Amino acid sequence: FPACRLVLERAFSLHKAHSIKVMENTFQLVRNIIPPLTTKKYKGQDGRIGVVGGCQEYTGAPYFAAISALKVGADLSHVFCAKEAAPVIKSYSPELIVHPVLDSPHAVRDVEAWLPRLHALVVGPGLGRDDVLLENVKGILEASKARGIPVVIDADGLWLIAQQPSLIQGYRKAVLTPNYVEFCRLYEAVLRDPMDSRDPDGAVLRLSQALGNLTIIQKGERDVISDGDQVLVCSQEGSRRRCGGQGDLLSGSLGVLVHWALLAGSEKTDGVNPLLVAAFGACALTRQSSSQAFQKYGRSMTTTDMIAEVGAAFRKLFET
Ligand SMILES: NC(=O)C1=CN([C@@H]2O[C@H](COP(=O)(O)OP(=O)(O)OC[C@H]3O[C@@H](n4cnc5c(N)ncnc54)[C@H](O)[C@@H]3O)[C@@H](O)[C@H]2O)[C@@H](O)CC1
Ligand SMILES: Nc1ncnc2c1ncn2[C@@H]1O[C@H](COP(=O)(O)OP(=O)(O)OP(=O)(O)O)[C@@H](O)[C@H]1O
Ligand SMILES: [Mg+2]
């Protein structure tokens, strides 16, 4: 597609009309990575996703992430959580496969046994900050990197990375999804400077570069996405509701899209980094789901209402 060169312009120097054009082109790239639904496939081919998170306090976040992966189109969704969170998460949904292993002394070995069967890991939703769990997650991250498994890092997974950036530095199959506070924490930890709020897009670019060109999504009123080379902005209309869990929907969806994007490769994305395309797709989908749910429920909208909109939002954005 000839118009594609436009996509690669630095978004922070773009005029508004130009940005809209870039958004349209990027939507087409997302459409290109979506695997067709055919009668020839077997269960698992369109995605086996693992979510690493879920502890005594937080059971909603890993559920939101894992169910969102299924609603986007993954075939199987696993949750690796602390023992006491497992029965709770299982009882939310019979569709999830739940492993109560994260606080066990064999956590790394137990999760590692599943890694060959997983296409992507989403690390952090509802993980909490318990030292034992974080230590186990460190081992799981190392094992995932050794196998080249793509990882999305969110929430308390980002807390861990801020303590020890070398854990993920230079691993190009990682996508980080910080909210504003998580971004500032990470920026200060890595660049040893407070974030420059006058140049938010440049800050995302610089943090990505400092981490060795990982893909980073800074979530907010606009979602700013960079791989240290390009900056893309997603300003798809969302909603004014800021209920908890919207970020979990984003990271779970992204797990699937990352797998699809890497499978499709850069021929399908016209030379654009497939992870940028996946990131843009997940942001647009989350925001569209939020917009649709907000139209129905207004102030009472919750993340569960958004999850119910994922299918229709996906069709509207990517299949029409
Ligand atoms: N139902 C659930 O189980 C949920 C659990 N969650 C989990 O809760 C844990 C903590 O996540 P948090 O996101 O609260 O992280 P933090 O514990 O780092 O808290 C960040 C705080 O900053 C505030 N904040 C966010 N954006 C801001 C901005 N632009 N300006 C100023 N303040 C801002 C938030 O209100 C929040 O209190 C994670 O494990 C997360 O996954 C959340 O995902 C929400 C849903
Ligand atoms: N001011 C805003 N206007 C519109 N959309 C927003 C705004 N802030 C965040 N979003 C959208 O909400 C989604 C979640 O972002 P948010 O910053 O709330 O993540 P989070 O704090 O990690 O959420 P969670 O509660 O799941 O942890 C993203 O898709 C983002 O685009
Ligand atoms: Mg979050």
Side-chain angles (χ1 to χ4, degrees):
F1 288 89
C4 256
R5 200 160 299 140
L6 287 175
V7 175
L8 295 179
E9 304 278 330
R10 296 259 157 106
F12 50 83
S13 62
L14 294 178
H15 302 299
K16 194 159 187 189
H18 196 175
S19 304
I20 289 166
K21 180 102 183 127
V22 169
M23 283 248 292
E24 277 166 14
N25 289 332
T26 314
F27 275 113
Q28 190 50 50
L29 300 183
V30 179
R31 291 182 193 113
N32 293 352
I33 65 163
I34 297 169
L37 291 168
T38 74
T39 55
K40 305 282 177 245
K41 284 187 175 166
Y42 59 86
K43 178 181 67 180
Q45 259 185 309
D46 279 347
R48 296 184 292 265
I49 310 301
V51 175
V52 177
C55 61
Q56 189 177 21
E57 293 91 335
Y58 307 124
T59 53
Y63 160 78
F64 290 143
I67 199 80
S68 299
L70 286 177
K71 292 290 179 186
V72 168
D75 291 336
L76 293 164
S77 195
H78 295 253
V79 177
F80 300 93
C81 61
K83 192 160 183 248
E84 52 206 337
V88 182
I89 299 171
K90 285 178 205 266
S91 68
Y92 295 150
S93 165
E95 276 131 352
L96 303 179
I97 302 164
V98 184
H99 309 264
V101 297
L102 219 46
D103 50 351
S104 122
H106 313 295
V108 179
R109 189 196 67 191
D110 290 352
V111 178
E112 216 174 352
W114 279 95
L115 289 182
R117 284 171 276 179
L118 297 178
H119 295 118
L121 271 192
V122 180
V123 176
L127 177 61
R129 293 177 190 170
D130 178 87
D131 286 337
V132 172
L133 258 59
L134 293 182
E135 197 53 39
N136 288 338
V137 170
K138 248 191 238 179
I140 293 166
L141 272 178
E142 298 288 8
S144 306
K145 284 196 300 185
R147 290 184 169 272
I149 293 174
V151 289
V152 174
I153 303 188
D154 188 29
D156 302 309
L158 295 167
W159 170 262
L160 176 64
I161 298 302
Q163 312 301 307
Q164 207 176 318
S166 63
L167 260 176
I168 204 71
Q169 189 128 26
Y171 187 58
R172 291 210 180 190
K173 287 189 187 173
V175 186
L176 314 188
T177 58
N179 62 27
Y180 184 74
V181 174
E182 289 158 346
F183 183 86
C184 293
R185 194 186 289 138
L186 206 56
Y187 189 95
E188 288 181 34
V190 174
L191 288 142
R192 309 203 166 281
D193 235 354
M195 188 194 112
D196 179 1
S197 55
R198 288 164 309 174
D199 180 17
D201 299 9
V204 183
L205 183 80
R206 280 191 296 281
L207 179 59
S208 168
Q209 286 168 350
L211 284 169
N213 294 86
L214 308 189
T215 300
I216 300 178
I217 303 175
Q218 188 199 102
K219 298 174 290 189
E221 191 175 345
R222 307 146 71 238
D223 294 327
V224 182
I225 308 163
S226 181
D227 64 351
D229 212 9
Q230 263 71 55
V231 177
L232 278 180
V233 173
C234 180
S235 43
Q236 181 72 22
E237 186 175 343
S239 83
R240 297 173 194 183
R241 267 291 273 157
R242 298 274 65 80
C243 57
Q246 302 190 34
D248 307 317
L249 194 162
L250 190 151
S251 58
S253 313
L254 182 56
V256 188
L257 287 166
V258 159
H259 165 54
W260 290 353
L262 289 173
L263 202 62
S266 52
E267 312 88 74
K268 289 281 177 72
T269 58
D270 250 328
V272 178
N273 180 347
L275 295 181
L276 278 182
V277 175
F280 181 90
C283 291
L285 180 66
T286 305
R287 297 170 74 102
Q288 177 66 24
S289 303
S290 183
S291 163
Q292 289 177 198
F294 187 73
Q295 279 169 30
K296 289 189 183 164
Y297 302 105
R299 197 181 288 276
S300 86
M301 177 194 101
T302 60
T303 298
T304 300
D305 302 320
M306 287 172 58
I307 288 166
E309 297 295 328
V310 164
F314 189 97
R315 223 172 302 125
K316 178 157 199 264
L317 293 179
F318 306 130
E319 292 181 319
T320 47

